[in-house]
Amino acid sequence: MSTTETPAAEQKRPKAERIALNNMLFESVLHMQSAQALDQFRNQFTSLANQVRQLQGVEQRIQGALTTAEKDALAKVREQEIRDLQGKDGLFQKVYGFSAVALAQRPNFILNTVVRLLTPVTDEELTKHRENKEFKEEEVVVRDSSKLLHVSTLRGPAVQSFERDVKIIQANREAAVQLRAQAERLPEGEDKTKAQEAFAAAEKKLNEDNATMAKTYGFSLTRNYVADIQAGIFFVALTKEEAERALAQQQAEAGEAPKAEAKKEKAAKA
């Protein structure tokens, strides 16, 4: 994938990372180091991607036009849309170092790399927290009329582990709720007893997992949370040709590594 270095102060372009997902190879294009940078990029990229789809819609209308006059009128609309899109994409490239139009139709995602967990607190709860000698006032985040308390900050692989574990424990909670409802509906008898036992086992496992989540991430099913994304990496799917070149390069680098190590050892002995 051909991109240039971004001039934006909050963007970083280290060596490209690659992730295999859904039978595709994705490559990192942009690192964003603040929530503001993430929001700005997401809004601008999404806007340009939507405009690309609108332009495609105009193209389809031209193909389906029944008269020359209709085609000519739509062609003028297309020219205006293209000029507007090129101008906006040019500004986008100056900020981010790559064309949004060129990548808009490829599968893409943002990998969260730093996440702050915040939980809403009442004034009474906040007063109790302030009584703790280790409490720091910067842990309180005020948004509109709500007060949020900083619980933990997750970084790197811990973010993906947290997001996975939250999905699992929420699914398990839903399954436990269904088991309880099933047990309550059944009449007295063997089936009801089995359903109650199944619910009891699911509830015990859920409580154990929730305790682990609280210890590991500061997360508990008993409270609401806000995941405050602080940094992320924008990944885009490589084309088949790009993926083949990337894999060939990776294999070549892997082959050169032992040779380089052997040279170092030889030089050290000399």
Side-chain angles (χ1 to χ4, degrees):
M1 188 179 297
S2 177
T3 60
T4 58
E5 190 70 23
T6 174
E10 287 190 302
Q11 321 309 328
K12 291 185 178 181
R13 293 293 298 281
K15 184 178 179 180
E17 303 171 52
R18 298 189 182 103
I19 296 176
L21 183 66
N22 298 329
N23 296 320
M24 291 181 286
L25 188 63
F26 288 79
E27 184 174 280
S28 62
V29 179
L30 184 69
H31 286 230
M32 292 157 284
Q33 304 299 325
S34 72
Q36 182 180 1
L38 277 164
D39 289 340
Q40 181 179 348
F41 170 78
R42 186 182 287 108
N43 291 338
Q44 293 186 17
F45 186 85
T46 300
S47 177
L48 288 173
N50 289 338
Q51 198 165 349
V52 169
R53 285 190 286 271
Q54 290 173 5
L55 184 57
Q56 290 175 334
V58 174
E59 293 282 3
Q60 292 174 357
R61 291 172 60 192
I62 290 174
Q63 295 298 323
L66 301 177
T67 65
T68 301
E70 185 181 3
K71 285 187 177 182
D72 290 343
L74 289 171
K76 290 181 179 180
V77 172
R78 177 180 59 188
E79 291 175 4
Q80 293 174 350
E81 287 285 341
I82 290 174
R83 283 196 298 270
D84 182 62
L85 183 58
Q86 288 176 338
K88 292 177 180 177
D89 193 45
L91 293 174
F92 183 93
Q93 290 184 58
K94 289 180 180 179
V95 175
Y96 297 107
F98 63 93
S99 167
V101 172
L103 303 182
Q105 297 184 74
R106 296 195 193 188
N108 60 77
F109 66 92
I110 293 178
L111 180 72
N112 299 327
T113 56
V114 180
V115 174
R116 287 196 311 170
L117 281 186
L118 309 174
T119 184
V121 288
T122 64
D123 289 337
E124 291 76 15
E125 288 175 326
L126 193 53
T127 298
K128 290 182 180 179
H129 281 288
R130 285 188 171 121
E131 292 173 355
N132 190 324
K133 294 181 179 180
E134 297 181 359
F135 177 81
K136 298 178 181 178
E137 197 61 38
E138 55 265 30
E139 294 178 347
V140 180
V141 178
V142 179
R143 290 183 179 170
D144 298 328
S145 58
S146 300
K147 293 184 179 68
L148 304 166
L149 189 65
H150 175 228
V151 175
S152 63
T153 297
L154 310 175
R155 301 177 185 278
V159 175
Q160 286 75 58
S161 297
F162 169 74
E163 292 173 344
R164 180 197 64 228
D165 292 345
V166 166
K167 289 180 181 178
I168 292 173
I169 197 169
Q170 288 178 338
N172 289 344
R173 176 174 61 179
E174 181 61 28
V177 169
Q178 293 178 1
L179 284 172
R180 181 176 62 184
Q182 180 184 16
E184 291 174 349
R185 288 195 303 267
L186 290 171
E188 293 296 333
E190 184 178 352
D191 289 342
K192 185 179 184 69
T193 300
K194 288 181 179 180
Q196 289 173 332
E197 291 173 351
F199 166 67
E203 185 180 37
K204 179 181 178 182
K205 180 67 166 55
L206 188 64
N207 290 334
E208 292 173 351
D209 290 345
N210 193 50
T212 300
M213 291 285 287
K215 182 179 180 180
T216 305
Y217 307 112
F219 174 94
S220 172
L221 290 171
T222 61
R223 295 194 68 95
N224 294 323
Y225 290 86
V226 174
D228 194 27
I229 313 301
Q230 295 292 299
I233 307 174
F234 179 58
F235 280 84
V236 174
L238 297 179
T239 64
K240 181 180 179 181
E241 293 75 16
E242 289 171 340
E244 289 174 350
R245 287 197 298 269
L247 290 174
Q249 179 185 2
Q250 183 177 348
Q251 291 172 356
E253 291 175 351
E256 290 296 324
K259 296 179 182 179
E261 188 63 28
K263 286 182 179 180
K264 288 182 180 179
E265 291 180 1
K266 186 176 179 180
K269 290 179 180 179

